[in-house]
Each structure stands twice: as C-alpha cells, then as structure tokens.
Amino acid sequence: MRALRGTVSVPGDKSISHRAIIIGALARGETEIINFLPGDDCLSTARAARALGVEVHVDGDRAVVIGRGMDALREPEDVLDAGNSGTTMRLMAGVLAGSPFFSVLTGDKSLRRRPMGRVIEPLCTMGAQITGRCGNAYAPLAIKGGGLRGKEYVSPVASAQVKSAVLLAGLFAEGWTAVVEPAQSRDHTERMLRYFGARVEVDGRRIAVLGRPELRGKKITVPGDISSAVFFIVAGVTVPDADITINNVGINPTRTGALEVLQRMGADITYVNTREVNGEPVADIRVRSSELTGTEIGGDIIPRLIDELPVLAVAAAHARGTTVVRDARELRYKETDRIAAVVDMLCKMGARVEERADGFVVHGGQRLQGTTCDSRGDHRMVMAAAVAGLTAKGETIIEGTDCIKVSYPGFFRTLYYLCVQ
Ligand code: S3P
C-alpha cells in the first residue's frame, strides 16, 4: 500500500449548498453561490426551486439564484421530485407549507421509505394541510400551504431537517416561530437566515425566527464539506506514513463531532489557518497516520457526527480495543439503514462487529480483508468501503458506486491523486 500524501480540497458543503438555493429563492435579488456542490441532491433542490418559478442557473460549482421574494413563488405545474435527497424534501416541505397553493413532493424508492411524519406533524400544527402515504408517514406528500400561524414546536428528534422545515415555514407565518430541539443539530439554516437579514434568536436549544422578513440576495462562498473531507481524514489516520492536508473545510462546531472523536482516539489532526467565511468557520485540516484506541460514542455528540458514523466505524476497526456507538438509531433512517450496512460491510471484511438497536460495537485491531461490498445505493457507504479497502489485504470491489454523485462525484479521482503523490 502506498502512503497517502498531498494537499487536496473537497467540494462545497451539501447542507449549505441546499440552503443557499432555498433561502436565495425566498430573497429578493441575486444570490451568487461560489463553490456550490453540483451533486445530484443539490441539483434536485435547484430543480424544485425552478419549478416554483425561481430563476436558478448552475454552471459547475457556481450557481446564481434570482429571487423575487417569498410571495412570488408560484404553484408548480407538476410533481416535484426530490430524488434521493431528504434535505430537499423536508426543507422544501417547509417552504411549500407556507405557500398558498397546492403541490406534491416525491422522491426515489429510498426517499419514499424515509420518515416524513416528523415534518408533516409540526407543519400541520402551524396550519398547513399535508397528507402522505401510509397514514401521513411517507412521501409522496400532497401539500396545501398558506395561512400559517407562528408556533413553538418541541421536536422529539435532533434533526436539522425538521428544525429547518419549521423555521422556513415560520418565515411565512405572522409573529415568531420557535423550535426546541433535544440536542444541538447543525445550525446552517439559522446562520444563513441571519446572513440574509432575518431576525433569528437562539436561547440554548430554542431557536426562534420572526415571520415576514425582508430577505436580500447575497453572495455566498460555500466551505468544503466536512462530511466529504472526513473520508480522507480517516484514510490519512489509518494508512501508514500518510500526511494529507485538506484545504478550506467548514468546521462549524455542529459538524465537527467526528474530528473530536478521532482526536480522542489518538488521531493526529490539526486545524491550520482558521477563519470565518459568510458566518461559517473554515480551516485547512492536516492529518497524519496515527495509532488509534477504541472509544465510546453516544449522547449529544451523535447529531454532530451522524453522517460520519460509517467511516468512523472503519477507523474503529483499526483501533486497539472496543468502540461502542449508541443513541444512533437515526442511522437506520438515512439513505439506507446505515447500522445494518456498516455491520454487514465490516463483518464481510473480517472485522468483529456486533449490531445493536441504536448503534454497533466494533472490536478493533484486526487487519481487514478485501471483499466485494454492496453500496446499497448509499453514497457514504461507497466512500466508507473505499477507505476500508485502502488498508485491507487483497482487493476490495465496491458494487453500485453510481450513487456517489449524490454528494461527491469526483471522490475517486481525488483519492487516486493522493495515492500517486
Ligand atoms: C442534514 C441533516 C441531517 C443529515 C443530512 C443533512 C441537513 O439529517 O444527516 O445528511 O442538511 O439538514 P437529519 O436532519 O435527518 O438528522
């Protein structure tokens, strides 16, 4: 195995790219998005905004949204298709709940199996009429929006998508709308709404937005996606003699849980040149090969590393001792059931892993064996398998890699570059 060396950058943050399109569509004037992620998920959001009458131009990693204000959205002529993207469906449901017309939101087979009751319920309490399949549990969703009242919603799940759906709907309501979350989830919506001119008040776990703001189009530079960078970070930690720098990565503290856990496990990770861009903290991240020890991952940190758990499991397989992941039942509701997917992949590679209802246990320290891995149509499982394959004995074959274009179309090119430096 060659050492991994070099300096790379990763594409723009997926969560921030979605929000820049959506909030830009609600604002008046031009929003220019630099380092936009042109992955399938964000393109689904761009298409949905267009179907609502908003001008959206995407040219590689630059996007321009010409908004005419929240009241200028118009009834879509056809069903809106969110593809594989939970963020598109749930955030758009918030916007459509506020808009005084009829719309239907659907998605691919995986998205149509993911829970939507969690957004239908609060949006209906605000006054929208939303119905979904299987007793309002799943998409397609039929939405008749408008006439919303500001509410306080105490959310049972620490989900940024639920929080954002309610806050976006709150923009259309009279008065204040608040969400109280059980643990801090990513706060990009709050930060970006403020940046566009909305009044947002945060008090502990309670986030409130004042309705009917005058949002103004802005220029946004999107930081690199820490959820993409983490694959190279774990590769850098686990491959012997590696030294990698990833430039321009978003290090919003609501997203850095995985790096904190890796550091606790003994990983040599340093932030260089820390700065702030459009209200979001950014740094270059240097990572070098390290000896890891197992750890416990659970509680309030889970929402801050939820997308990184598949690749953290790969790091855990390299660690001396046992790593326990708990309180992570949400992983079962992602693009695939990621608890089952991670356990299946690592067991096939010869690791000792046990499945739990809300997580898994990895007994680390054994060398992985190359095998054939099935992505289950999940982009993050493809990249986690690729990182595991770097140190595995023999060949690792990953089937179903096409879904990688959801978040990181150029992943293998960058990984190859690091291998040949
Ligand atoms: C996201 C929130 C998280 C995350 C997803 C992106 C977002 O989902 O897993 O990849 O952009 O708001 P939940 O809100 O379901 O936790």
Side-chain angles (χ1 to χ4, degrees):
M1 150 99 260
R2 285 168 185 269
L4 292 178
R5 284 177 179 272
T7 299
V8 294
S9 52
V10 290
D13 188 273
K14 183 154 80 72
S15 293
I16 298 177
S17 295
H18 280 294
R19 286 157 173 80
I21 297 272
I22 293 173
I23 298 173
L26 302 178
R28 275 182 199 281
E30 180 178 302
T31 290
E32 183 187 12
I33 312 167
I34 309 293
N35 202 33
F36 173 74
L37 170 66
D40 279 358
D41 273 14
C42 299
L43 295 178
S44 293
T45 292
R47 253 192 312 276
R50 274 189 212 112
L52 299 174
V54 181
E55 222 182 291
V56 182
H57 306 278
V58 178
D59 182 9
D61 65 359
R62 178 177 179 269
V64 176
V65 183
I66 317 278
R68 285 183 294 120
M70 305 186 321
D71 298 325
L73 301 183
R74 59 150 208 253
E75 183 170 277
E77 284 174 15
D78 204 345
V79 170
L80 304 172
D81 187 354
N84 191 242
S85 172
T87 310
T88 306
M89 180 164 290
R90 298 200 179 106
L91 270 58
M92 276 296 173
V95 170
L96 296 168
S99 302
F101 49 69
F102 173 75
S103 54
V104 178
L105 262 171
T106 192
D108 70 7
K109 201 171 166 189
S110 145
L111 188 53
R112 281 184 273 117
R113 284 198 291 246
R114 294 176 64 186
M116 292 300 147
R118 53 178 64 192
V119 289
I120 296 178
E121 199 245 319
L123 296 174
C124 287
T125 341
M126 293 174 75
Q129 295 167 43
I130 308 181
T131 45
R133 232 163 26 85
C134 298
N136 298 335
Y138 301 115
L141 309 180
I143 304 178
K144 174 73 180 65
L148 300 190
R149 299 171 295 275
K151 283 268 174 190
E152 174 168 300
Y153 179 62
V154 180
S155 176
V157 275
S159 158
Q161 294 178 357
V162 170
K163 172 176 64 178
S164 302
V166 174
L167 294 177
L168 289 169
L171 297 176
F172 293 82
E174 293 299 334
W176 288 89
T177 294
V179 182
V180 181
E181 40 178 8
Q184 165 104 64
S185 66
R186 63 193 66 192
D187 65 355
H188 305 300
T189 301
E190 298 90 297
R191 286 176 189 253
M192 199 180 291
L193 281 174
R194 262 202 195 120
Y195 181 62
F196 274 73
R199 267 189 72 190
V200 179
E201 286 186 2
V202 180
D203 180 12
R205 298 282 69 80
R206 183 181 188 276
I207 303 104
V209 66
L210 184 60
R212 314 300 316 166
E214 272 292 316
L215 303 175
R216 293 268 159 219
K218 285 277 189 179
K219 181 168 172 175
I220 295 191
T221 302
V222 180
D225 197 329
I226 193 166
S227 298
S228 297
V230 74
F231 295 100
F232 300 126
I233 292 170
V234 172
V237 170
T238 55
V239 171
D241 203 22
D243 187 348
I244 301 173
T245 299
I246 308 146
N247 281 336
N248 191 36
V249 182
I251 52 160
N252 178 319
T254 62
R255 299 284 299 281
T256 49
L259 273 53
E260 290 161 32
V261 165
L262 285 166
Q263 282 170 327
R264 204 203 296 154
M265 293 172 81
D268 181 353
I269 300 171
T270 45
Y271 294 163
V272 189
N273 189 17
T274 304
R275 55 211 183 263
E276 187 159 315
V277 182
N278 305 146
E280 289 280 352
V282 174
D284 305 330
I285 297 177
R286 182 169 183 198
V287 47
R288 282 170 280 195
S289 320
S290 317
E291 293 288 322
L292 300 179
T293 40
T295 190
E296 303 237 334
I297 311 174
D300 283 2
I301 202 169
I302 294 293
R304 299 173 50 232
L305 49 65
I306 190 79
D307 291 340
E308 289 68 68
L309 281 168
V311 78
L312 280 178
V314 175
H318 283 83
R320 224 170 340 105
T322 300
T323 296
V324 181
V325 175
R326 59 167 71 94
D327 307 319
R329 185 184 278 276
E330 276 292 305
L331 273 185
R332 297 205 183 267
Y333 311 121
K334 297 296 174 187
E335 285 82 334
T336 187
D337 175 343
R338 285 186 179 154
I339 293 180
V342 160
V343 172
D344 184 49
M345 174 186 84
L346 286 177
C347 284
K348 269 180 132 180
M349 296 185 91
R352 285 199 302 131
V353 186
E354 294 154 31
E355 181 166 349
R356 297 275 162 88
D358 65 344
F360 46 82
V361 178
V362 182
H363 303 281
Q366 243 161 298
R367 177 136 191 228
L368 298 175
Q369 299 285 329
T371 184
T372 299
C373 301
D374 174 10
S375 74
R376 302 180 182 216
D378 185 328
H379 54 129
R380 300 206 200 279
M381 291 310 302
V382 173
M383 293 183 273
V387 173
L390 289 174
T391 53
K393 188 155 175 274
E395 199 172 61
T396 299
I397 296 166
I398 308 165
E399 287 179 340
T401 56
D402 195 42
C403 55
I404 207 166
K405 54 190 199 311
V406 156
S407 68
Y408 196 168
F411 170 76
F412 282 106
R413 214 175 321 120
T414 304
L415 185 59
Y416 181 72
Y417 169 84
L418 287 170
C419 290
V420 297
Q421 288 310 294

